[in-house]
Amino acid sequence: MVKDSSSMAPRLSDFCYPDAPEEDKYSVCVHCGFCLEVCPTYQAWGDENHSPRGRVFLIKSCAEGELPLDESVIDPVFTCLDCRACETVCPSGVQVGALVEEARGQVFHARREHGDRDPLMRLFLRGIFPRPGRLKTIRRLVRFYQKSGLRTLARSTGVMRVLPPQAREMEDVIPEIGRGPAIDVLPTVMVPKGARKATAALFTGCVMDVFFSDVNEATARVMVRNGVEVHVPREQICCGALQVHAGDRDMAREMAKKNIEVFERAGVDYIAINAAGCGAALKEYPELFHDDPAWHERAVQFSARVRDITQLLVEVGFDPPKAELPMSITYHDACHLCHAQKIRREPRSLLTSVPGVDLREMPDSDRCCGSAGIYNLTHPDMAGELLERKMDDVPEGVEAIVMGNPGCMMQIRLGVKKRNQQLRVMHTVEVLDLAYQREETP
Ligand code: SF4
Ligand code: SF4
């Protein structure tokens, strides 16, 4: 039931736009309810509509024309964290995340047709994230703000109070911005000293390179140290994950096409990524091209080469560090690493290979921390509740919480700050990089 918007009067009803939720995804739900106990929103509110099973049912009903696309469907679709915990336990393999994203695409189309646009979202999704030059300008402005004393002035004069509380909290935990984005600072090609095991192009990302460019630099060093020739394609852009989450699938497709072209030209064995959310999005590029066989095939080829950095290091055979790094840590499983990409073992193998590292598991390490893209900005209460639970689960006495996603790093930095704790928040590759650096210290 694809709508030709040029000939039909606009209406906010069922899924009548292209790229709608697919029957083969929602029809496999057997209503068993195994997903209920892992769903953070169902656990918090006890409302079936805000459970995976409920969301799938609402989406199916809308797709079959039994329900209109109104707030009774839109609200549960947007309260979903897209954490995919339900997919890990679902015996039928229901792709709840993909269904929710496709349903959001329908909402995005319907709202656009009704002139109901959020100018701020539009600015970020279309005006900033797809444009690397503007992202770099933001990075420079934040760095100037931090280094020039403006931040101190803003905080001391109370001018920050004009910002919404959640934006104020996030401003408080933005890391010190480093010397430059890795995409500019790193050489175009880095060659390992010994035998070359593989070639990989580093996907530098947007949030990762704006706020955590040090992690990108550490990732490149760790790959080179392990025999991987690293390429850094300068023309790459943001992966489009935020656009997919928000339902702007047309923009996400444009961004995916650009990246597919850029990384095809790189001619490497692998595409290495250190951000779980971006990694999942890159691996799911084929989902965006159901109706376009030529691009679908190119997306399949592209995605087959994508590896999370921990997956890549295990696959090529990493070299365990030799120097001691006495440190007690705990590990937080980012949702898009453990649930979306099924990567749990690899980061732990790397971390426990470091002599002196004592990995103490936290309970429910794979429960969402509340970051979930921009969920902590759009649904601060739920995100705050999940963050509190995550911080409660951190084992006593650890020195660092380690993870593999920049969104989680920001969110957990906020948790540490709120509790006034002396805990480091680190990416998995930073621990390895630190250990390798110690080998070089006489
Ligand atoms: S676990 Fe899967 S099949 Fe069972 S109710 Fe949930 S989504 Fe449906
Ligand atoms: S993705 Fe997460 S929040 Fe959404 S339905 Fe599944 S478990 Fe619940």
Side-chain angles (χ1 to χ4, degrees):
M1 199 186 334
V2 174
K3 182 178 183 181
D4 172 4
S5 53
S6 61
S7 60
M8 293 173 67
R11 66 193 179 112
L12 191 61
S13 62
D14 47 21
F15 296 154
C16 50
Y17 302 93
D19 201 14
E22 295 169 298
E23 188 183 354
D24 60 353
K25 291 195 182 109
Y26 57 71
S27 62
V28 289
C29 174
V30 295
H31 318 295
C32 63
F34 287 170
C35 52
L36 299 182
E37 69 180 41
V38 299
C39 176
T41 53
Y42 179 74
Q43 289 299 311
W45 299 322
D47 179 346
E48 177 77 20
N49 284 339
H50 294 272
S51 76
R53 183 171 65 181
R55 290 181 175 111
V56 173
F57 180 75
L58 291 171
I59 289 169
K60 177 177 184 287
S61 303
C62 217
E64 293 176 347
E66 287 166 18
L67 276 181
L69 181 54
D70 62 15
E71 275 309 310
S72 66
V73 178
I74 294 173
D75 187 39
V77 157
F78 277 89
T79 57
C80 173
L81 292 138
D82 201 5
C83 69
R84 319 274 184 98
C86 47
E87 296 185 7
T88 294
V89 297
C90 175
S92 300
V94 179
Q95 294 171 258
V96 181
L99 280 170
V100 162
E101 288 166 358
E102 286 162 357
R104 288 179 184 176
Q106 298 296 299
V107 177
F108 187 87
H109 277 298
R111 283 183 172 158
R112 189 166 55 182
E113 197 168 276
H114 285 71
D116 177 14
R117 296 180 185 175
D118 179 341
L120 200 60
M121 282 294 275
R122 190 175 164 77
L123 173 71
F124 278 99
L125 296 179
R126 295 207 161 197
I128 294 179
F129 280 97
R131 299 168 190 270
R134 292 184 185 173
L135 275 171
K136 285 180 192 174
T137 303
I138 288 179
R139 191 182 190 283
R140 276 194 294 274
L141 289 173
V142 176
R143 187 170 152 84
F144 176 75
Y145 170 73
Q146 289 180 337
K147 302 279 178 214
S148 65
L150 259 181
R151 176 167 62 180
T152 317
L153 186 69
R155 287 178 180 173
S156 63
T157 55
V159 75
M160 303 303 296
R161 281 197 289 272
V162 300
L163 293 176
Q166 55 270 41
R168 222 158 49 217
E169 283 182 337
M170 277 300 157
E171 185 277 338
D172 215 20
V173 291
I174 290 175
E176 288 297 319
I177 304 291
R179 57 184 176 144
I183 197 168
D184 289 345
V185 167
L186 290 172
T188 326
V189 181
M190 283 160 278
V191 181
K193 280 190 191 136
R196 189 181 81 176
K197 294 178 184 168
T199 57
L202 177 63
F203 195 96
T204 50
C206 54
V207 174
M208 189 59 105
D209 220 22
V210 168
F211 296 123
F212 298 102
S213 56
D214 294 353
V215 175
N216 275 339
E217 291 188 46
T219 303
R221 278 194 298 272
V222 168
M223 280 199 283
V224 171
R225 169 69 178 72
N226 282 286
V228 179
E229 180 179 292
V230 178
H231 295 233
V232 185
R234 301 287 193 232
E235 315 81 33
Q236 61 178 292
I237 63 170
C238 158
C239 67
L242 288 177
Q243 284 74 8
V244 173
H245 291 179
D248 191 353
R249 295 171 73 83
D250 288 337
M251 192 69 232
R253 261 186 286 276
E254 291 310 307
M255 296 163 79
K257 284 180 179 176
K258 169 79 179 166
N259 281 324
I260 290 169
E261 284 171 344
V262 167
F263 284 89
E264 279 174 350
R265 281 200 298 275
V268 289
D269 304 324
Y270 296 107
I271 297 160
I273 175 79
N274 53 21
C278 311
L282 297 177
K283 288 179 179 178
E284 291 168 5
Y285 270 180
E287 284 282 324
L288 293 169
F289 297 105
H290 298 298
D291 306 324
D292 187 338
W295 275 102
H296 185 266
E297 181 51 31
R298 289 173 76 176
V300 168
Q301 300 293 333
F302 171 93
S303 298
R305 289 189 293 151
V306 176
R307 299 287 187 282
D308 180 72
I309 178 62
T310 60
Q311 198 181 16
L312 173 63
L313 291 169
V314 170
E315 201 166 313
V316 299
F318 71 97
D319 190 8
K322 295 171 189 67
E324 281 265 326
L325 183 65
M327 197 178 199
S328 61
I329 63 171
T330 191
Y331 180 74
H332 158 66
D333 284 281
C335 300
H336 281 84
L337 206 51
C338 67
H339 298 305
Q341 298 185 59
K342 313 296 179 210
I343 296 174
R344 293 167 186 261
R345 182 181 52 83
E346 293 86 343
R348 289 176 169 83
S349 310
L350 294 168
L351 292 169
T352 53
S353 77
V354 180
V357 163
D358 172 22
L359 173 60
R360 299 188 205 164
E361 292 287 353
M362 69 166 86
D364 296 325
S365 62
D366 62 356
R367 191 191 330 103
C368 181
C369 64
S371 166
I374 55 167
Y375 197 91
N376 49 1
L377 299 176
T378 57
H379 298 83
D381 293 345
M382 183 71 207
E385 206 174 295
L386 286 169
L387 179 58
E388 284 299 308
R389 290 181 69 191
K390 181 60 64 179
M391 298 311 295
D392 286 344
D393 287 338
V394 173
E396 255 183 55
V398 297
E399 296 158 76
I401 313 174
V402 181
M403 63 211 74
N405 191 49
C408 307
M409 290 173 77
M410 289 288 274
Q411 176 80 342
I412 292 179
R413 281 172 68 93
L414 177 62
V416 169
K417 173 97 184 176
K418 278 182 164 176
R419 295 195 175 197
N420 203 17
Q421 290 170 316
Q422 298 301 312
L423 275 168
R424 291 177 76 176
V425 176
M426 299 178 78
H427 191 284
T428 308
V429 291
E430 289 185 292
V431 177
L432 275 185
D433 187 47
L434 209 54
Y436 288 133
Q437 282 175 25
R438 287 197 167 207
E439 287 177 352
E440 290 157 19
T441 314

